[in-house]
Amino acid sequence: MTEQAGASTQQIVERVWLSIAERRLRPGVQLKEGQLAAIFDVSRARIRQALAALERDGLVTIIPNRGAFVCQPSVDEARDVFFVRRAVERCIVERLCKSISKVNVTRLRTHVSKERTANAQDSTTDIIKLSGGFHLLLAEVANSDFLFATMRDLIARSSLITAVYRNTNRFNCGPDEHAEIVDAIANGDLSKATGLMEHHLEHVESELDLSEIRDLPHDLRSALA
């Protein structure tokens, strides 16, 4: 089979991400180029492109002379990330309640609509990505480079934490809560918007099982099936 018939870089990224999100590929496991190239029937060059994209998304750590590994957030890091998110997202909500354009309100509501579609289709990858994307979009429309850069890092870490520690039976960083936040922001209701965001982040954190990561097999082919 030629490489053209093999997986694309994006398909490889999505498969690895889904395996992490579904808790089949465990934190700390090494993503060996040779094995991945055989699994996806592509060259090592394409695998390196995919690993670089996964590193940018905060899912993989590439260590010189050692290789690529699935990131391994600790329980303490998970708690720290949500502690910082509360402060940063409150600042974002306060800024948006003071001034947000109708165009940006529409952008937020369109994003929530995409979340509803992902939930209806039970698409784990899209649910997690769009959930984090909503909070990143809030930072974007707040028009602050600093807040956006801070949230981009926090969201990348949160997405991996959610994938690692999510209680698979109860995960639902729901579009309903996001929609309520957007409505409060659109109405300029600071007290309600900040209260809803605080409740929302508490809800998300409560659906994480912040205990020891369960032992999973190291076999890449099984994890990526």
Side-chain angles (χ1 to χ4, degrees):
M1 186 181 292
T2 63
E3 181 168 317
Q4 285 71 23
S8 67
T9 300
Q10 186 58 33
Q11 287 173 330
I12 296 168
V13 170
E14 291 292 338
R15 182 85 67 82
V16 173
W17 166 246
L18 184 60
S19 296
I20 294 172
E22 294 184 342
R23 305 182 79 178
R24 289 184 284 113
L25 190 59
R26 78 182 188 83
V29 72
Q30 184 173 9
L31 301 174
K32 297 179 180 178
E33 287 184 9
Q35 283 184 280
L36 292 173
I39 290 169
F40 291 106
D41 192 23
V42 297
S43 68
R44 289 194 177 209
R46 185 170 296 181
I47 293 299
R48 283 192 288 272
Q49 291 174 350
L51 291 175
L54 287 162
E55 184 179 41
R56 287 194 298 271
D57 288 343
L59 299 175
V60 166
T61 298
I62 298 176
I63 303 175
N65 302 318
R66 287 191 59 198
F69 300 82
V70 178
C71 288
Q72 193 165 228
S74 67
V75 170
D76 285 342
E77 180 181 344
R79 293 189 174 117
D80 288 344
V81 164
F82 277 93
F83 178 82
V84 174
R85 277 190 64 175
R86 286 187 180 89
V88 174
E89 300 218 43
R90 181 182 180 87
C91 181
I92 290 170
V93 167
E94 288 177 351
R95 176 173 293 213
L96 292 177
C97 281
K98 292 177 181 177
S99 176
I100 186 170
S101 68
K102 291 182 179 179
V103 171
N104 283 330
V105 170
T106 298
R107 289 179 65 193
L108 290 169
R109 286 177 171 153
T110 299
H111 187 96
V112 171
S113 178
K114 292 179 181 178
E115 291 185 70
R116 293 191 193 283
T117 299
N119 273 266
Q121 296 174 346
D122 197 26
S123 174
T124 302
T125 305
D126 289 340
I127 288 170
I128 295 176
K129 284 189 172 181
L130 286 168
S131 174
F134 170 79
H135 294 269
L136 192 58
L137 182 56
L138 285 176
E140 180 182 334
V141 300
N143 198 30
S144 166
D145 291 340
F146 173 74
L147 289 175
F148 180 78
T150 302
M151 279 304 300
R152 183 171 54 193
D153 181 58
L154 287 170
I155 291 301
R157 294 175 185 272
S158 296
S159 294
L160 180 62
I161 288 165
T162 299
V164 172
Y165 293 106
R166 172 173 56 90
N167 182 323
T168 54
N169 295 322
R170 295 193 301 130
F171 175 73
N172 183 24
C173 178
D176 290 342
E177 293 185 7
H178 287 172
E180 291 177 347
I181 292 169
V182 173
D183 287 344
I185 290 173
N187 292 329
D189 191 335
L190 177 58
S191 177
K192 184 175 182 179
T194 53
L196 286 169
M197 180 60 79
E198 178 71 20
H199 171 75
H200 175 61
L201 292 177
E202 288 177 355
H203 181 196
V204 174
E205 188 173 4
S206 74
E207 292 189 339
L208 303 180
D209 179 14
L210 295 178
S211 57
E212 291 300 317
I213 300 170
R214 63 194 175 104
D215 190 28
L216 295 173
H218 289 264
D219 181 59
L220 280 180
R221 189 173 292 276
S222 297
L224 294 167

